């Protein structure tokens, strides 16, 4: 599942997001006009891919771009520009932080679930060292009250005594009844 | 230049303003000075208390102006009695509130520096005016009115709202606002500079991030959205951005220019007079309601003619 979900293509996509979040081509914000023609709804957008379909590029005229460079001493301008950028980044920053929380939570769950299997393997090693027999039980279909085994021993007794214990055989066809609490 | 100015009647509207909220032609000339007897009788304190929350209307002049006929007193008492209807009072207060916001917008326009910011606030003023009037006209329709003043005003308002000038003002303001609201542009912010261009279906990046990492989602995450206070007023940077937006979208701004030229004086003198004069009654009713709450009895005096 991990191989399938987190394959190289996916990891490359994540890597691309990490690169993009450094904004090498500047912060691209979409906006609309509110009351008084003041900008509002600033939203971080991703740059349109250069690989867009050729007919889309062919039939869509590219917008004119107007540019303005601040005087290096224009501190108030730089502050305003920074505040606009912060407004646009707020939503994407929220999504990124939530994504980080999801990733962290996913790996925490993965660690807990793996811990169960690692504990089983550790137990297997112990039991093997004590020369107790091991096997994967074969479950019978639900409703079939049958149970059989060969050399079934009390594992807690073996672990406490730290030695091999004698097992029991139960013949085929015995009905199994689990005691109530 | 973009402040709405009063005028007697809008273009194409031949309405007779028969309504008088005070019902007394000689009372229209408001007394500019407080009567000498007022402080002696402590009436100055009463008037001050009544008008305290309505400073913008300069209502004390109305209280200083005496009435000379019993007929006028009765005429006003009928308005007071109509306003005892809570629904009517609520509608008129809502109208007054909208008109007050509209005046605030108008005052703000004078303080703004940039042309298209001023023009859009002017447009907002017109929209607020149209909405306030249309709402009041439709609310007054089903309300029983006994006073001649309010009944006449209702007819005037209904005719005014149906006039071609008002209809054109409403339609033009909505069309212009719609055109401006459809503008969507992009700002690319780099270190020490910015670019402005049309929006070209660029995808919302936060949705892309959410989609990419959705496979890890097992439960709802904490909300990390930071509230960034939006600045009021306009900086030279935003003005520059708007200047570029105007170049990118000339048509909606041409509409806005046209609107400001065509409707540069849209306020109706009678409506504005009503807006102020009705405050005289509202202030009084609020004051009386407060006294009633304190358990004091109240009645309208019968005025005899001697």
């Amino acid at each position: 599942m991990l191989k399938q979900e987190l394959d190289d293509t996916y990891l490359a996509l994540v890597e691309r997001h990490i690169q993009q979040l450094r904004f090498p081509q500047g912060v691209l914000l979409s906006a609309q006009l509110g009351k008084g023609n003041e900008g509002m709804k600033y939203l971080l957008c991703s740059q349109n891919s250069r690989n867009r379909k050729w007919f889309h590029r062919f039939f869509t005229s590219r917008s004119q771009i107007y540019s303005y460079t601040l005087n290096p001493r224009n501190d108030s301008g730089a502050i305003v520009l920074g505040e606009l950028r912060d407004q646009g980044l707020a939503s994407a920053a929220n999504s990124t932080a939530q994504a980080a929380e999801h990733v962290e939570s996913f790996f925490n769950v993965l660690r807990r679930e793996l811990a169960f299997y690692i504990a089983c393997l550790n137990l297997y090693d112990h039991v093997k060292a004590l020369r107790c027999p091991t096997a994967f039980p074969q479950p019978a279909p639900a409703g079939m009250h049958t149970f059989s085994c060969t050399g079934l021993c009390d594992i807690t007794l073996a672990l406490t005594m730290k030695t091999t214990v004698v097992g029991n055989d139960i013949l085929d066809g015995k009905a199994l009844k689990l005691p109530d609490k | 230049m973009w402040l709405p100015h009063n005028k007697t009647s809008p273009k194409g509207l031949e309405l007779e303003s028969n309504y008088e909220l005070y019902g007394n032609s000689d009372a229209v000339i408001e007394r500019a000075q407080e009567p000498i007897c007022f402080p002696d009788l402590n009436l100055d304190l009463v008037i001050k208390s009544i008008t305290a929350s309505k400073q913008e209307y300069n209502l004390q002049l109305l209280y200083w102006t005496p009435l000379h006929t019993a007929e006028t007193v009765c005429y006003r008492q009928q308005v007071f009695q109509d306003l005892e209807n809570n629904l009517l009072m609520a509608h008129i207060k809502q109208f007054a509130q909208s008109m007050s916001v509209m005046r605030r917008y108008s005052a703000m326009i004078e303080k703004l520096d940039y042309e298209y910011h001023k023009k859009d606030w002017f447009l907002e003023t017109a929209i607020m005016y149209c909405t306030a009037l249309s709402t009041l006209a439709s609310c007054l329709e089903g309300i029983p009115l006994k006073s001649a003043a309010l009944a006449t005003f209702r007819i005037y308002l209904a005719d005014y709202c149906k006039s071609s000038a008002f209809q054109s003002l409403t339609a033009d303001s909505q069309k212009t606002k719609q055109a401006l609201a459809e503008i969507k542009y992009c700002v690319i912010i780099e270190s020490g500079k910015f670019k402005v261009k049309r929006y070209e279906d660029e995808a919302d990046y936060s949705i892309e991030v959410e989609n990419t990492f959705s496979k890890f989602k097992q439960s709802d995450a904490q909300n990390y959205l930071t509230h960034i206070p939006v600045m009021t007023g306009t900086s030279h940077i935003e003005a520059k951005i708007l200047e570029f937006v105007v170049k990118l979208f000339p048509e909606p701004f041409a509409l806005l220019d046209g609107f400001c030229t065509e409707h540069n004086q849209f306020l109706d003198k009678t409506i504005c007079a009503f807006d102020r004069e009705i405050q005289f009654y509202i202030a009084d009713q609020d004051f009386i309601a407060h006294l009633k709450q304190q358990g004091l009895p109240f009645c309208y005096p019968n005025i005899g003619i001697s």
Side-chain angles (χ1 to χ4, degrees), chain A residues 45-154:
Chain A
C45 291
S46 55
Q47 305 269 359
N48 276 338
S49 164
R50 286 166 195 236
N51 303 327
R52 283 208 297 175
K53 289 184 174 136
W54 68 268
F55 59 85
H56 194 276
R57 277 182 287 144
F58 186 79
F59 289 110
T60 317
S61 57
R62 291 202 67 188
S63 162
Q64 272 187 301
I65 298 178
Y66 294 95
S67 170
Y68 181 78
T69 305
L70 270 69
N71 187 308
R73 284 176 295 180
N74 186 352
D75 291 339
S76 64
I79 290 169
V80 172
L81 213 52
E83 284 170 347
L84 290 183
R85 189 193 55 211
D86 290 349
Q87 276 185 45
L89 290 182
S91 170
N94 180 41
S95 300
T96 311
Q98 285 185 334
E101 190 180 312
H102 289 318
V103 172
E104 189 186 356
S105 144
F106 172 81
F107 281 107
N108 278 338
V109 171
L110 186 65
R111 189 178 63 176
R112 222 177 84 226
E113 288 176 4
L114 282 177
F116 168 76
Y117 292 103
I118 291 169
C120 289
L121 289 174
N122 289 342
L123 180 63
Y124 175 78
D125 288 345
H126 264 290
V127 173
K128 261 304 202 202
L130 295 172
R131 295 188 184 172
C132 289
T134 55
F136 284 102
Q138 288 178 343
M144 264 187 77
H145 301 286
T146 182
F147 179 76
S148 64
C149 64
T150 310
L152 180 68
C153 59
D154 183 349

Side-chain angles (χ1 to χ4, degrees), chain A residues 4-6 10 13-14 16-18 20-21 25-40 42-48 52 56 60-71 74 76-78 80-81 83-87 90-99 101-103 105-107 109, chain B residues 105 112 116-121 124 128 177 180-190 192-210 212-226 228-238 240-242 244-245 247-248 253 256:
Chain A
Q4 217 171 31
E5 292 293 324
L6 306 180
Y10 181 74
L13 176 67
V14 173
R16 205 161 58 241
H17 277 301
I18 292 167
Q20 203 165 334
L21 284 167
Q25 293 171 302
V27 178
L28 173 68
L29 306 176
S30 69
Q32 284 175 272
L33 295 175
K35 280 185 181 176
N37 278 334
E38 289 177 20
M40 64 165 195
Y42 285 100
L43 210 61
L44 182 67
C45 291
S46 55
Q47 305 269 359
N48 276 338
R52 283 208 297 175
H56 194 276
T60 317
S61 57
R62 291 202 67 188
S63 162
Q64 272 187 301
I65 298 178
Y66 294 95
S67 170
Y68 181 78
T69 305
L70 270 69
N71 187 308
N74 186 352
S76 64
V80 172
L81 213 52
E83 284 170 347
L84 290 183
R85 189 193 55 211
D86 290 349
Q87 276 185 45
S91 170
N94 180 41
S95 300
T96 311
Q98 285 185 334
E101 190 180 312
H102 289 318
V103 172
S105 144
F106 172 81
F107 281 107
V109 171
Chain B
Y105 286 174
L112 294 174
Y116 280 109
H117 292 128
K118 286 184 177 197
K119 285 184 171 175
D120 196 68
W121 278 115
E124 289 292 340
M128 183 65 81
K177 194 67 205 170
L180 290 167
E182 282 169 8
I183 292 177
K184 205 165 176 188
Y185 59 96
C186 285
V187 183
I188 304 164
I189 300 173
E190 295 170 34
K193 69 173 183 179
F194 65 86
K195 296 174 191 163
V196 181
K197 69 179 197 75
R198 278 173 179 261
Y199 172 73
E200 293 172 310
D201 295 324
E202 283 87 352
D204 179 350
Y205 189 69
S206 49
I207 292 176
E208 275 188 35
V209 171
E210 278 170 26
T212 305
F213 293 96
S214 61
K215 59 176 70 179
F216 293 105
K217 186 175 178 178
Q218 291 177 328
S219 59
D220 287 338
Q222 186 188 330
N223 185 11
Y224 293 93
L225 200 59
T226 316
I228 297 166
V230 178
M231 297 166 293
T232 49
T234 310
S235 65
H236 64 292
I237 296 293
E238 284 168 295
K240 199 73 196 170
I241 292 174
L242 183 59
F244 292 153
V245 174
K247 286 180 183 172
L248 289 166
F253 289 94
L256 182 58

Side-chain angles (χ1 to χ4, degrees), chain B residues 76-100:
Chain B
R76 290 194 182 182
Q77 282 183 351
Q78 285 176 349
V79 178
F80 281 119
Q81 283 158 358
D82 268 347
L83 287 174
E84 284 177 1
N85 179 341
N86 289 336
L87 188 63
L88 174 65
M89 185 64 122
H91 290 320
I92 290 181
K93 279 186 174 177
Q94 191 192 356
F95 163 76
Q97 170 71 18
S98 302
M99 292 293 276
S100 175

